[in-house]
Each structure stands twice: as structure tokens, then as C-alpha cells.
Amino acid sequence: MTIRDPMGDGIAAGWKVLDASLPDAPRALEADVVIVGSGAGGGIAAEILTAAGLEVILVEEGPLKSTRDFRMREAEAYPHLYQESAARKTRDKAINILQGRCVGGSTTVNWASSFRTPASTLAFWRERFGLADYTPEALQPWFEMVERRLNIGPWQRAPNTNNTLMRTGATTLGIPVGEIRRNVRDCWNLGYCGMGCPTGAKQSMLVTTIPSALGRGAMLIHRLRAERLVTAGTRIDALECVAMEADGVHPRPIRWTLRARHFVLAAGAIGTPALLLRSKLPDPHGLTGARTFLHPTVVAAGRFAKAVHGHAGAPQSLYSDHFLEQLPIDGPLGFKLEVPPLHPVLFSTTLQGFGDEHAASMREFTHTHAQLALLRDGFHPQSHGGRVALRADGTPLLDYPLNEPIWEAAARALLAMAEIQFAAGALSVQAVHEQCRGYTSWPQAKEGIARLPMKPLLTRVVSAHVMGGAAMGASEATGLTAPDGTLRGVDNVSVFDGSVFPTSIGANPQLSVYAVAARNASILTSRMTGKPAPPLA
Amino acid sequence: MLSRRTFIKAGLLGGIALGAGGVWYGATRESAPAGHLPGSTRAMFAAITPVILAGSLDEGNGPVERVVDGVERAVAGLSAAAQSELGELFGLLGFYPARLLLTGIGDWRLATRAEIEAFLDGWRLHRIALMQGAYAALHDLVLGAWYAQPESWETIGYPGPPEVK
Ligand SMILES: Cc1cc2nc3c(=O)[nH]c(=O)nc-3n(C[C@H](O)[C@H](O)[C@H](O)COP(=O)(O)OP(=O)(O)OC[C@H]3O[C@@H](n4cnc5c(N)ncnc54)[C@H](O)[C@@H]3O)c2cc1C
Ligand code: SF4
């Protein structure tokens, strides 16, 4: 079986890769384009810009870890590869947010599920945000291009038991279930995508676009945090950065200054708006960081007589959009059903309670099947999402008040998942909620869940999908960025990441980030070179 | 056991204390070298670990020490902002008057399992979000530190990661 580690190989061959935690002197560098963030948007942009012959510097706050470093251990993966050690919280601590913070960004740790942007989401963007060019037809070539590049296709193996049980239950109830496409090549079906793929099978930015950009002479600087953009009139003159300690937590007293003709911001939702806020750029409508969406996610765990082994096998291979399609997009929040991979730390900390109660649930670890309901936020008139602000030390903090439309949907979703789990043969089901002691039948769950108070910190809410905060829109009043991702009010900045979405996606967002970044990076490239942009490899 | 009233009162005062940034106990706060927890915080975790992990952790001090070491490593990996918030919480829990008020516990080493359970349960369902958040932090730190360790895996049947060669 194949193991691919193009970053490890390339560094050995002399690629330009700098670790800012090492040198003790300030540095000044220059390129045609500086890209901030090496995740989904930054990776795609780097490949397109370098293919056109532009000189690129890629700045990444997190460390460079690649295939041979990934040992499938939560104790290493979370502190090394995730923002705030996978414990990033909203202001009131009611939502735990998973986001990547490493070379490759969230694509290094994501679960490889690949969905095109739903047509209904695009229709909403055209209607409410004037994004007239965002039709499924116009985006199709961009989807096809990134799908080819990242080998996105049907999953060739049988779904693992964790996924199969969702299908069994749903099918019994007449709820349709679909198959998830994945961005993998020669996947070993291990199930550790969330800790960095140890075989290089997952076609994250770490094994695709970043190596190709570096192979063409781009420079990657990791453990370097972009601090602020410095203006000179209506142009951005430089990006000031601060080197990070190897621990990834503390900034060092060492500054780097990067100059470029153009700056691409791809620090992800939360990250990009935070950089803009620190830069104090003009924002007459107060849009920076506003409308940040999360697909707030609730969880239900079912115990089965047979072994499930939710830690093993491709984490996500089946889904159901049944509850997204039942109601109008701006009505009560719909939700997408999926399953999460189950690993000891993530599962034990998500699960409510302590002591004997918790230990009893953990003893059923290998017999547990869990489901996730991803709530589609940002469409309902009262679903405004959250707002990014800065702490005194300049780091971002997302304030996301969980309000009535979210709670109404959360209760519906917990019910739906419990019903499916019992239909699949669950012996018992736990809604992940501080006051739920578990149910042993569907009638009991139906009554019990209806009585659970839907409140912050009682109902467990998590997110791995951060979107928005620098939304595109046709007008200055609705779009901090224009429909091609350029930042309004300055001449030479573009945003190519998940922060440009004006609502949540209503599906796992990576493919939306890739396609929109490919489109907008190509527009920028042809503007900078006067020639059509070359396609992705 | 503490009465419900005590908790409400403690919660109210505790909320004020935490909210005020803990200025008033700051003077007595212990410091520890970077990446380490002060002795009073380690004592607190050593006391609550066997309660949070009851039913999972074997009796004996060895594993408790290793969990507390794991908590120490986990805290060091959190954001600077989270570390300083936790520092305030740990400071309060290490400071006798605040601890007594917030948890009803005078000395961590003498606290009974029932007393610790009562304080954790009180915080878990507290009406002040700050206290619920503090409970959640203790919950995640202790459980995360234990289940990160291979020695915990056999208790739940997790075989550990496969070999990739
Ligand atoms: C655990 C997990 C599982 C997921 N599973 C899926 C899935 O199966 N399918 C799917 O479609 N989506 C999934 N996602 C989400 C998906 O990966 C993201 O939506 C997508 O990667 C977002 O792309 P982005 O470019 O906006 O940001 P990211 O990919 O997050 O990249 C942003 C990068 O910017 C860096 N950065 C931030 N601030 C700074 C700064 N100031 N200076 C320098 N660098 C900075 C960050 O460290 C990060 O590396 C998952 C996410 C997670 C965390
Ligand atoms: S399941 Fe995930 S981690 Fe395992 S080989 Fe496939 S892509 Fe890599």
C-alpha cells in the first residue's frame, strides 16, 4: 500500500520552507502575492497563482506537520493541529469549535466529506445578496476542476458500521439516505482523518496544492501569525507578522514584514475577520466578523448489542438531507444528518456527566453509534449567527448567542436522531445533554427529549464548520467583499476562504471553499497577469 | 452535604468574584513555572480526578498523578486567553475563603467523595453560566487527560491506533 509524504520529500529536496519559531532576528521579505493561511482557500489560491508564474509567500500560523508525523493519537493531534487545542469556545462557552491550525489548515484534519454547494443555498445568495453569478451552472466547471484535482469521488468501500446503522434506522422509517463522496486516493479506510492522515491518502492541501506551489518556487513560512495589514493610502503596503513559539500558543517578540503587490486572506472564518479587525480597515457598515455561522451541531449516542467500532473506517460515508428538504430554506432550521468518528478523547469530553454514569457510557464505547445533526443557520430571519470580536491580546473571540430558532431545531433534531437510532435497533439512546440520563425506548425518548430544557451549556452544541464574517455581496451594505472576493475599500486585498459565505452552506463546506476560491483566484490571476488563469493541475 | 441554598449564595458571590477578574485574591495567588500548575491546583485535580473518573480509574495514586500530569500538559496547550481564565478559576479554588464559598470544601485532601460530587453537580446545573462553564472546563480537562492515555483504553475496549507500515 502507498504512503505519500510530498512535504517531507520536498523539504529534503530543498523547497523554501521556513519555521518562524527558530530565527532570532526580524525578517523582511517581498513577493508578488502574500497568502495568509494555508487551508482550503489558501492552498487552492497558491496553486493557481504559482501556475501563472507569480511569486507567492504562504504564511501559516500553525506548524508544519505531515504524513510521517501523524501518529493517530489525540494527545498529539489536538494541541499540534487544531486552533486552541480543539477547545476553541464561543464567548459564553456554549459551543466548542473545531478548526485546523497547521499547514493545510482544516483540510489536514477534516473528515473528507465532499458536497457541492446546494442549489437552494446559491439561490438564496442570488436573491438576498445579489450574487448573480453564483448559479449551479456557472459554478459547475469550478466544481469539476477541484473534484478532478482532489480526486473527489464515490467512496469505493462499504460504509463502516457507525454509518450503516444510520442508514438501517433511516431506511426503516422511510427516510432517504445518500452516499458521501470523499477526497481520497488509495485510502486505507483507517478512520483517523481527524488526526492528520498517516498515509497521505486524504487529498488535503498538504499533499496536493501546497506541494505543487512549493515545487514551483513558492515560499512557505509556518509558525508565523499575520498580525495586521498596513495601509498606504488606499493600498495595503505590508503585512506585519509575529513569530510564534514552538508551543503554538505564545507569540515571540520577533516581527516579520511582508510586502506584496496583492494580499490574499485565507485565514479561515474567525481568522480572516480577526486580521481585518486588527488592521482597522474602513468598514462603514460594521460587517467585519458579523454573520459568522457554525452549522451548530447536536449529538445523540445510541448503544447497540453488536460492536460498532466507530473509531475505525472512513468516518463519514452516508448522510441524510431529509430534514433539510422538508421546510422552506428560511423557515424553521433544517438539519443535515451525519455520523462522527468516535475517538476516546473527543467522545469522552463531549459526553455529559462524570463518575459512574460517565464510566458506564464509556464502557459501551465500542458498541456506540453516534449521529450528528448540523443545523443550517443564516437563512431564518432570526438566525444572524455570531460576531467575531478581539480580546485585549488581539486574538479573536466569537460571540454566538444561541437563540430560539436554533433551540427549536435542536430539539427536533435530537428527536429525529433518537427515533432513527431506535429504529436501527439501539438498546438505549442518550441525547447529549446534561439532564439526559438515557432512554431505553423510542416512546420514552420522545417524551423525555421534549422535556429537556434547550439551553446553553445544558444541550451540548459543537461545530467543525465555521463560515462567514467577511461576506460577499453585490452592494456595499451587504458585502464586506465583492462577488469576486475582493475586499471593498482597499485596492489590493482579496478574501479566498470560508469567511466569504453570506450564510452557512447547508452542507459540509470544504468543496464550496475550494470551488469559490478557485473561481476567484483565477479572476485575480488573470487580472494580475493579463492572461487567462491556468487550471489546477 | 451542602444545601441548595448554600450553592445559590456561593454561586452569586462566586459569579461576582470570577467576573471581577479575581482581583481580590490575586495577591495570594501562587505562581508556578511555565507549563506547570501550582501545587494547590494539582491538589485540587488530585482530589476531583478520582470522583470524575469513578468507575473507570483503578484505585491508587499512580493513575491519578498521571491524569494530573495530563491536565497540566493540556492546559499548557490552550490559548493564552483560556490559560489566564483557567488561572483565575484555579486561583479561586486554591484560595481557602473563595473555595469554601464556591464549593463548600475547606481542604482538598480532606474532602469526601460526596462533597466533591455535590460541588461538581451543583456547578454542572448552576443557573450562572460562569459556574457551568467552570464545571465544563474541569470535566473536559480530567476526562480528556485520562482518555488520552493508552492505559485508559483497555477499560473501554479501544484497541488504539492501527499500525501503518
Ligand atoms: C475536524 C474537522 C472536520 C471537518 N470535516 C469536514 C468534512 O468532512 N467535509 C467538509 O466539507 N468540511 C469539513 N470540515 C470543514 C472544512 O475543512 C473547512 O470548512 C475548510 O477547510 C475551511 O477552509 P478555509 O480556507 O476557510 O479555512 P481553513 O482550512 O481552516 O484554513 C485557515 C488557515 O489559516 C490559518 N490562520 C488563521 N489565522 C491566521 C493568522 N493570523 N496568520 C496566519 N495563519 C492564520 C489557520 O491556522 C489555518 O491553517 C471539517 C473541519 C474540521 C475542523
Ligand atoms: S480513512 Fe482517512 S486517515 Fe485513513 S487512510 Fe483514509 S483518508 Fe487517511
Side-chain angles (χ1 to χ4, degrees):
Chain A
M1 300 239 257
T2 337
I3 295 184
R4 296 190 189 87
D5 188 4
M7 292 300 288
D9 301 344
I11 288 168
W15 285 352
K16 284 183 259 172
V17 176
L18 302 180
D19 177 350
S21 73
L22 300 174
D24 279 326
R27 304 282 298 259
L29 295 165
E30 196 162 343
D32 291 322
V33 182
V34 164
I35 302 176
V36 181
S38 64
I44 293 284
E47 175 161 322
I48 292 175
L49 290 160
T50 52
L54 292 163
E55 231 183 283
V56 166
I57 297 176
L58 199 51
V59 180
E60 170 55 55
E61 174 179 6
L64 170 62
K65 301 276 174 192
S66 83
T67 311
R68 286 188 269 258
D69 301 314
F70 299 143
R71 303 197 323 132
M72 299 176 277
R73 277 160 179 78
E74 293 179 283
E76 294 169 10
Y78 300 149
H80 291 162
L81 307 178
Y82 283 71
Q83 284 291 356
E84 307 189 24
S85 266
R88 179 171 261 187
K89 304 265 191 301
T90 48
R91 182 182 203 91
D92 66 359
K93 307 207 164 30
I95 311 178
N96 194 73
I97 298 175
L98 299 182
Q99 258 184 312
R101 192 221 49 202
C102 54
V103 174
S106 301
T107 76
T108 298
V109 294
N110 80 17
W111 301 340
S113 298
S114 304
F115 296 90
R116 290 188 184 185
T117 321
S120 53
T121 298
L122 294 174
F124 193 85
W125 292 0
R126 292 195 302 278
E127 193 187 303
R128 305 292 174 93
F129 296 89
L131 300 179
D133 294 336
Y134 284 76
T135 63
E137 300 71 35
L139 287 178
Q140 177 155 333
W142 300 108
F143 285 126
E144 286 172 353
M145 187 167 95
V146 297
E147 286 162 0
R148 210 179 319 116
R149 177 68 179 100
L150 305 178
N151 209 42
I152 291 172
W155 174 231
Q156 307 287 359
R157 311 273 283 266
N160 69 3
T161 308
N162 198 21
N163 280 271
T164 307
L165 283 168
M166 180 174 76
R167 179 164 62 191
T168 308
T171 310
T172 309
L173 298 171
I175 293 169
V177 167
E179 293 177 5
I180 295 180
R181 296 188 304 157
R182 308 182 67 229
N183 56 321
V184 295
R185 196 184 290 277
D186 306 324
C187 171
W188 294 31
N189 200 23
L190 299 174
Y192 287 79
C193 314
M195 297 173 217
C197 176
T199 70
K202 183 171 68 179
Q203 299 295 288
S204 69
M205 299 303 98
L206 197 55
V207 301
T208 57
T209 54
I210 295 174
S212 97
L214 295 179
R216 292 189 188 113
M219 174 186 284
L220 168 67
I221 313 170
H222 59 107
R223 291 195 172 114
L224 187 65
R225 177 187 280 172
E227 223 14 66
R228 64 174 57 81
L229 296 160
V230 184
T231 42
T234 59
R235 289 189 65 76
I236 299 300
D237 179 44
L239 175 71
E240 275 188 3
C241 303
V242 53
M244 299 300 292
E245 292 290 356
D247 66 8
V249 177
H250 297 99
R252 308 175 65 208
I254 302 205
R255 307 209 145 256
W256 294 50
T257 307
L258 307 180
R259 284 174 213 284
R261 286 158 62 196
H262 200 90
F263 294 85
V264 167
L265 308 189
I270 299 182
T272 288
L275 173 58
L276 292 171
L277 288 170
R278 288 193 295 269
S279 307
K280 301 200 169 73
L281 298 182
D283 176 15
H285 299 277
L287 298 173
T288 309
R291 292 182 62 81
T292 296
F293 299 106
L294 293 174
H295 287 157
T297 297
V298 290
V299 190
R303 263 118 225 144
F304 287 76
K306 69 168 174 181
V308 179
H309 295 304
H311 61 272
Q316 302 191 309
S317 47
L318 299 168
Y319 72 99
S320 175
D321 277 352
H322 177 71
F323 299 95
L324 275 182
E325 289 158 359
Q326 280 179 324
L327 297 161
I329 197 164
D330 55 355
L333 271 58
F335 50 90
K336 190 178 190 82
L337 291 183
E338 293 175 351
V339 313
L342 299 179
H343 294 286
V345 172
L346 201 59
F347 185 62
S348 66
T349 54
T350 303
L351 203 64
Q352 70 269 31
F354 63 90
D356 291 323
E357 173 199 0
H358 191 277
S361 301
M362 288 305 291
R363 275 193 293 277
E364 303 296 326
F365 177 72
T366 56
H367 287 248
T368 299
H369 148 69
Q371 286 180 25
L372 303 174
L374 290 71
L375 310 188
R376 180 172 54 190
D377 51 347
F379 297 85
H380 185 285
Q382 282 156 38
S383 177
H384 309 295
R387 181 180 269 280
V388 178
L390 298 177
R391 295 192 183 93
D393 67 358
T395 58
L397 179 61
L398 175 64
D399 185 15
Y400 191 116
L402 288 160
N403 61 0
E404 195 38 44
I406 303 270
W407 292 130
E408 183 279 327
R412 242 184 314 119
L414 289 171
L415 283 167
M417 292 189 287
E419 185 171 18
I420 293 171
Q421 288 172 328
F422 280 115
L427 303 174
S428 68
V429 170
Q430 254 182 323
V432 183
H433 184 292
E434 294 296 344
Q435 293 180 4
C436 172
R437 291 285 139 90
Y439 312 109
T440 52
S441 71
W442 165 233
Q444 198 192 34
K446 196 172 169 181
E447 205 198 305
I449 291 171
R451 273 185 302 161
L452 289 175
M454 289 290 127
K455 291 210 176 120
L457 296 154
L458 290 180
T459 311
R460 186 80 74 251
V461 183
V462 295
S463 167
H465 298 166
V466 197
M467 300 155 284
M472 299 183 292
S475 79
E476 203 174 293
T478 55
L480 187 68
T481 49
D484 64 357
T486 52
L487 183 69
R488 290 201 158 92
V490 288
D491 297 341
N492 56 337
V493 177
S494 304
V495 180
F496 297 156
D497 63 18
S499 62
V500 298
F501 301 146
T503 62
S504 77
I505 295 291
N508 311 44
Q510 67 166 346
L511 183 45
S512 299
V513 180
Y514 297 139
V516 172
R519 172 191 189 269
N520 292 342
S522 299
I523 295 173
L524 171 69
T525 301
S526 60
R527 207 169 350 111
M528 290 186 74
T529 61
K531 287 183 261 175
L536 289 164
Chain B
M1 280 276 265
L2 285 163
S3 74
R4 199 165 168 73
R5 279 247 311 290
T6 321
F7 269 115
I8 293 172
K9 208 169 74 196
L12 204 67
L13 289 168
I16 293 164
L18 281 170
V23 179
W24 56 280
Y25 73 86
T28 62
R29 202 160 136 191
E30 265 180 270
S31 60
H36 291 275
L37 295 172
S40 65
T41 303
R42 287 191 63 99
M44 183 269 289
F45 276 110
I48 67 172
T49 292
V51 179
I52 292 183
L53 296 177
S56 174
L57 198 69
D58 285 335
E59 298 295 325
N61 289 332
V64 173
E65 278 295 300
R66 289 193 290 277
V67 171
V68 179
D69 290 343
V71 168
E72 200 163 68
R73 280 192 299 274
V75 170
L78 295 173
S79 68
Q83 289 190 44
S84 98
E85 275 182 32
L86 284 176
E88 283 177 18
L89 172 66
F90 298 161
L92 282 172
L93 290 178
F95 181 51
Y96 176 82
R99 174 171 67 244
L100 194 64
L101 197 67
L102 289 171
T103 68
I105 290 167
D107 182 336
W108 286 117
R109 277 159 307 184
L110 303 179
T112 64
R113 171 166 295 204
E115 283 169 338
I116 292 173
E117 262 172 24
F119 119 71
L120 289 171
D121 264 326
W123 284 22
R124 178 182 177 192
L125 302 177
H126 209 284
R127 62 197 171 76
I128 295 175
L130 213 59
M131 308 302 285
Q132 286 177 289
Y135 161 79
L138 301 177
H139 172 273
D140 290 5
L141 283 169
V142 172
L143 288 162
W146 172 235
Y147 287 107
Q149 303 194 15
E151 67 179 303
S152 73
W153 297 345
E154 64 203 50
T155 69
I156 59 170
Y158 172 60
E163 270 215 48
V164 170
K165 276 227 177 87

